[in-house]
Amino acid sequence: VATQPDVIKRFLLEAQLASRVKHPNVVDISDYGQIPGQTAYYVMEYLSGETLAHRIKAGGRMDPALALDLAIQTAQALQAAHASKIIHRDLKSENIFLCEHPEGGLQAKILDFGIARIRDRKTGLTAMGALIGTPAYMSPEQAQGAEVDERSDLYALGVILFEMLTGRVPFKGPTVAMVLNAQIFEAPPALREAEPSAPDLPNVEHVIHRLLAKRR
């Protein structure tokens, strides 16, 4: 439920954008609107499970096969969103929900399109140069307040894959400024540098470093 004008606008924007992306790995929004009294609402599918962030916090690094499966599902969801010219801009483990798949295993669902934007069309809700997103998952261009495109979502996917395989994000720091600086200038650590018990996966590590490249 939303009552403040700007909150209502963002709330309905999330519903509008999410409802445009019909994909098994994106939460389904079936209806949205505003009723008299300025209260906004949307209707989404009922999900039973936990966020990826909660799963990692509770259990640490994940089995590589499961981590890769969830990363592929997330990539397929991003492909669907990007095909609709929608950039998420705040992809993180907290915004990936894990449900039991009807045919067995886990199904990833991307949530929270509240700060997403339509490619090539401004929403009017974000000032130029404003930092939008979560520092630990921000691409270098996001960290600098620059214009973002689909590749910023792929950078965040690289952070999430790293996090699933090591139990932590690649760049941590005591202040937001230090994390943003690392996103812009520092090379990500190797998987085993971040977590000595991490598996030796050179091909996957190559993909992660491509996703986390400083130059998009």
Side-chain angles (χ1 to χ4, degrees):
V1 178
T3 56
Q4 298 299 319
D6 191 54
V7 173
I8 288 174
K9 198 171 182 180
R10 287 183 183 275
F11 186 89
L12 292 176
L13 174 65
E14 174 181 354
Q16 177 190 12
L17 296 183
S19 67
R20 284 178 47 175
V21 185
K22 298 300 181 183
H23 190 274
N25 299 115
V26 176
V27 63
D28 185 53
I29 303 293
S30 57
D31 192 18
Y32 63 92
Q34 194 169 351
I35 59 178
Q38 298 296 304
T39 298
Y41 70 90
Y42 63 72
V43 181
M44 63 178 279
E45 65 178 312
Y46 176 77
L47 301 178
S48 178
E50 62 182 347
T51 65
L52 177 58
H54 184 270
R55 176 74 173 245
I56 295 171
K57 184 177 181 180
R61 69 176 184 84
M62 302 172 68
D63 176 75
L66 177 58
L68 290 171
D69 179 44
L70 295 175
I72 289 168
Q73 291 185 49
T74 304
Q76 291 170 337
L78 288 177
Q79 183 180 40
H82 295 166
S84 296
K85 297 186 177 181
I86 294 172
I87 307 164
H88 192 286
R89 296 201 300 170
D90 195 24
L91 188 68
K92 53 187 175 182
S93 56
E94 291 177 357
N95 284 340
I96 298 176
F97 200 86
L98 305 181
C99 315
E100 292 294 330
H101 195 281
E103 298 178 3
L106 288 178
Q107 183 175 22
K109 295 266 190 180
I110 294 183
L111 310 174
D112 194 1
F113 282 78
I115 64 168
R117 69 173 296 169
I118 301 172
R119 179 92 161 122
D120 298 327
R121 185 169 72 81
K122 296 177 183 177
T123 65
L125 289 171
T126 304
M128 287 299 293
L131 288 183
I132 294 296
T134 303
Y137 300 84
M138 278 186 182
S139 64
E141 58 272 18
Q142 260 181 305
Q144 297 176 84
E147 190 71 17
V148 303
D149 59 26
E150 292 84 352
R151 291 170 289 185
S152 285
D153 285 346
L154 297 181
Y155 185 95
L157 177 60
V159 173
I160 292 167
L161 181 53
F162 185 101
E163 184 182 13
M164 288 192 288
L165 293 171
T166 65
R168 51 155 283 188
V169 293
F171 300 113
K172 299 171 68 177
T175 68
V176 169
M178 292 178 69
V179 175
L180 295 177
N181 186 74
Q183 298 285 28
I184 298 167
F185 298 110
E186 293 182 17
L191 294 177
R192 286 188 166 178
E193 183 183 347
E195 174 48 62
S197 66
D200 182 24
L201 300 168
N203 291 335
V204 175
E205 192 141 17
H206 175 71
V207 172
I208 291 173
H209 280 260
R210 284 291 301 274
L211 290 168
L212 298 182
K214 299 304 174 186
R215 292 181 58 192
R216 52 178 157 177

